[in-house]
């Protein structure tokens, strides 16, 4: 048996070994912790800020009950110097389309023009690893509330989830009472519903710029025909002198639209399981279509245009509504189908009139012009409209005429397209362009001569925003302007030529990778691309 001395030595050795192992473990823990990227709770709630060219940008989340747990994802791009001596105004880009939006890719050449720009994802929307909380509700109440939360942040009323106000990111004053909305296409419905839904808390938002917004469910669904369906937009296949309207709905009565509807001859309306509701214009009792490039088309003679004896298909919107997969059509199509007894042919997934009305009341501005005007009588409007619409194939541009007059008739300042001086400033060159004074008479008889025929829609969109920014700041609502309100000596961003003037169309759209973590691999479009 070992002696007491041997046991003591062995015990000491064991203790030393245990101490060594503990020391090694502690050392490894320290090394491992030091090797990990450090992050504070606040840092995990924002990405950036990052410096790029003449501006900086940051991604963060704004708290919103319908976007839990993360909140509403927002990308904020802000200039190094403000537009005005008094500070920088704010513009919120309201996403178009029927999806949850995206976040922009901004190049180093992006010029914020001294303005703070906010882009955001609707609840449930994703851009790479960046996500807004909540579930996408197909641009209903939750989407409106998300926009309201972003507006509250823009107005300096709400802190983001990192605990910061909008003014905490910049070293100059933020003009939180000079906020505007740039509403791209279907974003116009969201912008309008924002004011229809809230009578307080939006006093700092002074204007909306509508980019050819489909201000009615019949426009959202393309009941009058869509430009994108024309197989060759450069060829005038129907011989009417307009090359991009060849797939318009010939049963639409031009000049008949009012604030809530348009007159369409539904005499030939029927239902087909493959395509849904359609106009059986050749009276053969079935959908007559052929396959072209992997898709069905009713241009059966291949002329490149729809004729009066060729069928026209109405589009349904596949949505998840109240926990069920549904298909919704415009109210015009839905009511006509009910009148003709066609729901006996349609499956239960297709919304009936009462359901469709409930759905569209939350998503269509045209039902709410009175509420908008009552809640925001100060609101000013810039309506953009081009000779060739980006979406609607109707030759009389009814969505432009209707939205313009809806605000004008309720006493709002409204202008169709920006002042030529601002387009010239943005493009850096003189041009001949249609210029309309504010609040002139616009109707179906004269709309065509007042639209803008100019290829660079991005430049026009920027010009429209800058005109409204300056008008709001200087409180100048004259019908027309002789020159841009902000002189070159007032701001560094106006003392140099716009970067867009020398950039290629791709560069001008900002197609350069963002460095925000989680976004670098995406192909996204900027607010300027929204201005297609």
């Amino acid at each position: 048996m070992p002696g007491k001395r041997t046991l003591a030595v062995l015990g000491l050795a064991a203790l030393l070994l245990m101490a060594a192992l503990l020391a090694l473990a502690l050392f490894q823990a320290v090394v491992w912790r030091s090797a990990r990227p450090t992050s504070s709770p606040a840092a995990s709630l924002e990405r950036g800020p990052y410096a790029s060219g003449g501006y900086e940008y940051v991604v963060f989340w704004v708290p919103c009950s319908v976007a839990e747990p993360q909140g509403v994802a927002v990308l904020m791009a802000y200039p190094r110097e403000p537009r005005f001596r008094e500070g920088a105004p704010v513009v919120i880009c309201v996403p178009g389309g029927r999806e949850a939006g995206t976040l922009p890719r901004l190049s180093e050449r992006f010029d914020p023009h001294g303005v703070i720009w906010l882009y955001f994802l609707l609840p449930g929307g994703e851009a790479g690893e960046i996500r807004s909380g909540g579930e996408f509700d197909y641009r209903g109440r939750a989407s409106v509330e998300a926009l309201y939360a972003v507006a509250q942040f823009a107005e300096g009323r709400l802190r983001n989830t990192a605990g910061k106000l909008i003014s905490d990111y910049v070293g100059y004053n933020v003009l939180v009472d000079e906020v505007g909305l740039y509403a791209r296409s279907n974003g116009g419905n969201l912008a309008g519903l924002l004011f229809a839904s809230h009578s307080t808390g939006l006093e700092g938002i002074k204007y909306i710029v509508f980019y050819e917004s489909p201000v009615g469910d019949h426009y959202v669904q393309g009941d009058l025909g869509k430009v994108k369906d024309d197989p060759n937009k450069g060829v005038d296949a129907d011989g009417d002198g307009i090359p991009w309207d060849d797939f318009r709905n010939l049963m639409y009565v031009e000049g008949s639209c009012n604030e809530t509807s348009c007159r369409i001859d539904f005499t030939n309306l029927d239902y087909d399981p493959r395509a849904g509701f359609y106009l059986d214009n050749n009276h053969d009792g079935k959908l007559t279509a052929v396959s072209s490039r992997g898709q069905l088309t009713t241009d059966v003679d291949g002329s490149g245009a729809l004729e009066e004896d060729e069928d026209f298909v109405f589009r349904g919107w596949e949505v998840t509504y109240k926990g069920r997969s549904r298909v919704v059509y415009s109210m015009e199509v839905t009511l006509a189908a009910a009148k003709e007894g066609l729901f006996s042919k349609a499956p239960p997934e297709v919304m009936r009139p009462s359901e469709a009305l409930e759905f569209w009341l939350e998503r269509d501005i045209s039902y709410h012009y009175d509420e908008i005007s009552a809640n925001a009588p100060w609101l000013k409007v810039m309506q953009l409209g081009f000779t060739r619409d980006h979406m609607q194939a109707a030759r009389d541009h009814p969505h432009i005429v209707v939205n313009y007059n809806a605000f004008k008739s309720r006493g709002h300042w409204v202008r169709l397209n920006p002042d030529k001086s601002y387009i010239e400033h943005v493009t850096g060159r003189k041009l001949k362009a249609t210029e309309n004074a504010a609040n002139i008479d616009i109707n179906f008889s004269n709309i065509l001569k007042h639209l803008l025929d100019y290829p660079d829609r991005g430049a026009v969109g920027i010009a429209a925003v800058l005109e409204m920014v300056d008008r709001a700041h200087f409180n100048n609502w004259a019908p027309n302007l002789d020159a841009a309100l902000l002189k070159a000596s007032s701001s560094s961003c106006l003392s140099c030529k716009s970067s867009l003037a020398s950039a290629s169309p791709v560069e001008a759209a900002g197609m350069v990778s963002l460095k925000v973590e989680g976004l670098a691999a995406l192909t996204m479009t900027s607010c300027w691309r929204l201005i297609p």
Side-chain angles (χ1 to χ4, degrees):
M1 293 184 64
K4 291 182 179 180
R5 184 174 181 177
T6 302
L7 292 174
V9 171
L10 290 174
L12 179 60
L15 287 173
L16 291 172
L17 178 61
M18 291 176 62
L21 291 173
L22 179 60
L24 178 61
L26 289 173
F27 174 76
Q28 289 176 328
V30 170
V31 171
W32 179 75
R33 288 183 62 187
S34 65
R36 290 188 302 166
T38 58
S39 62
S40 64
S44 65
L45 298 175
E46 60 184 15
R47 307 286 179 91
Y50 302 91
S52 180
Y55 67 98
E56 297 183 13
Y57 56 91
V58 60
V59 173
F60 49 75
W61 286 259
V62 172
C64 182
S65 62
V66 297
E68 294 180 342
Q70 297 98 322
V72 180
V74 178
L75 187 149
M76 173 174 148
Y78 49 98
R80 299 193 189 283
E81 298 292 336
R83 184 168 182 81
F84 307 110
R85 292 192 180 99
E86 297 83 359
V90 185
V91 173
I92 302 171
C93 292
V94 187
R98 298 195 297 187
E99 305 304 323
T102 186
L103 294 178
R105 299 181 67 190
L106 305 174
S107 77
E108 291 187 355
R109 302 180 70 177
F110 169 71
D111 183 356
H113 291 275
V115 176
I116 297 172
W117 300 87
L118 299 178
Y119 314 80
F120 68 102
L121 297 173
L122 298 175
E126 297 181 356
E129 297 175 7
I130 306 299
R131 186 183 191 279
S132 282
E135 293 185 4
F136 182 51
D137 72 338
Y138 298 88
R139 295 174 170 259
R141 289 183 180 178
S143 297
V144 174
E145 289 309 303
L147 174 55
Y148 183 75
V150 176
Q152 294 295 283
F153 177 82
E155 292 179 287
R157 302 172 184 263
L158 181 66
R159 295 181 182 273
N160 62 21
T161 59
K164 296 180 180 180
L165 295 170
I166 188 170
S167 56
D168 292 331
Y169 288 98
V170 299
Y172 44 77
N173 188 37
V174 178
L175 303 178
V176 295
D177 58 347
E178 295 181 21
V179 181
L181 303 180
Y182 186 99
R184 179 191 190 272
S185 193
N186 198 22
N189 285 303
L190 272 179
L193 285 162
L194 172 69
F195 287 97
S197 304
H198 295 276
S199 59
T200 60
L202 299 173
E203 292 80 5
I205 300 181
K206 297 301 192 286
Y207 61 87
I208 304 175
V209 177
F210 289 94
Y211 171 66
E212 296 184 330
S213 296
V215 290
D217 46 74
H218 41 293
Y219 305 122
V220 174
Q221 295 302 98
D223 288 358
L224 311 187
K226 288 189 173 183
V227 171
K228 72 175 186 178
D229 291 337
D230 190 330
N232 193 333
K233 301 170 187 60
V235 174
D236 180 22
D238 63 0
D240 68 346
I242 304 173
W244 46 266
D245 73 334
D246 296 332
F247 268 54
R248 71 186 189 279
N249 184 351
L250 298 175
M251 297 300 110
Y252 159 59
V253 180
E254 293 182 332
S256 67
C257 294
N258 56 36
E259 287 183 6
T260 58
S261 64
C262 298
R263 192 158 74 248
I264 298 173
D265 184 354
F266 286 109
T267 303
N268 303 325
L269 189 65
D270 207 340
Y271 185 84
D272 180 89
R274 294 177 298 167
F277 293 114
Y278 72 102
L279 294 175
D280 183 19
N281 291 331
N282 65 357
H283 309 287
D284 65 353
K286 62 182 180 180
L287 177 66
T288 305
V290 295
S291 179
S292 175
R293 297 180 229 178
Q295 294 184 328
L296 286 178
T297 176
T298 56
D299 179 24
V300 293
D301 63 0
S303 67
L306 293 184
E307 282 110 32
E308 290 188 357
D309 62 349
E310 289 180 319
D311 297 347
F312 181 88
V313 176
F314 294 104
R315 285 179 172 83
W317 187 3
E318 296 181 2
V319 301
T320 300
Y321 189 62
K322 296 183 177 180
R324 295 174 54 197
S325 294
R326 308 300 301 275
V327 178
V328 62
Y329 288 84
S330 72
M331 284 308 302
E332 283 85 346
V333 172
T334 302
L335 291 171
K339 181 180 179 181
E340 298 297 324
L342 294 177
F343 279 107
S344 61
K345 296 183 178 182
E349 290 78 21
V350 179
M351 290 189 194
R352 274 51 179 174
S354 61
E355 298 172 297
L357 179 59
E358 181 182 60
F359 180 87
W360 287 116
L361 280 173
E362 296 181 359
R363 294 163 176 83
D364 178 355
I365 187 179
S366 70
Y367 298 100
H368 304 284
Y369 283 118
D370 286 340
E371 297 101 300
I372 296 167
S373 187
N375 290 341
W378 66 84
L379 198 62
K380 307 298 193 295
V381 170
M382 175 76 76
Q383 173 69 60
L384 298 185
F386 293 81
T387 302
R388 170 185 156 180
D389 194 84
H390 79 285
M391 178 180 173
Q392 306 297 326
R395 300 181 297 186
D396 58 346
H397 301 261
H399 55 308
I400 305 297
V401 176
V402 165
N403 198 48
Y404 180 96
N405 285 292
F407 284 100
K408 179 176 180 286
S409 66
R410 289 169 172 83
H412 293 268
W413 185 98
V414 57
R415 187 175 196 182
L416 177 58
N417 294 322
D419 198 271
K420 185 173 70 171
S421 63
Y422 276 88
I423 301 177
E424 290 178 341
H425 161 65
V426 171
T427 61
R429 55 181 179 270
K430 294 289 184 180
L431 71 152
K432 293 181 179 180
T434 301
E435 189 174 59
N436 309 304
N439 289 88
I440 63 171
D441 183 36
I442 297 292
N443 54 55
F444 290 110
S445 299
N446 68 7
I447 180 62
L448 293 182
K449 70 179 183 180
H450 291 290
L451 296 171
L452 190 58
D453 186 12
Y454 189 71
D456 191 346
R457 294 180 180 229
V460 173
I462 298 170
V465 170
L466 295 182
E467 179 179 340
M468 297 302 276
V469 160
D470 291 352
R471 283 182 177 273
H473 184 72
F474 295 110
N475 194 28
N476 185 332
W477 301 103
N480 211 344
L481 299 173
D482 295 327
L485 293 174
L486 185 61
K487 302 302 180 182
S489 60
S490 301
S491 171
S492 60
C493 72
L494 279 186
S495 64
C496 59
K497 189 177 293 184
S498 168
S499 63
L500 289 175
S502 58
S504 71
V506 170
E507 290 172 326
M511 304 305 289
V512 177
S513 295
L514 258 180
K515 298 177 182 178
V516 177
E517 181 182 352
L519 291 179
L522 288 182
T523 299
M524 298 179 292
T525 54
S526 75
C527 190
W528 311 133
R529 192 86 164 180
L530 66 103
I531 307 175

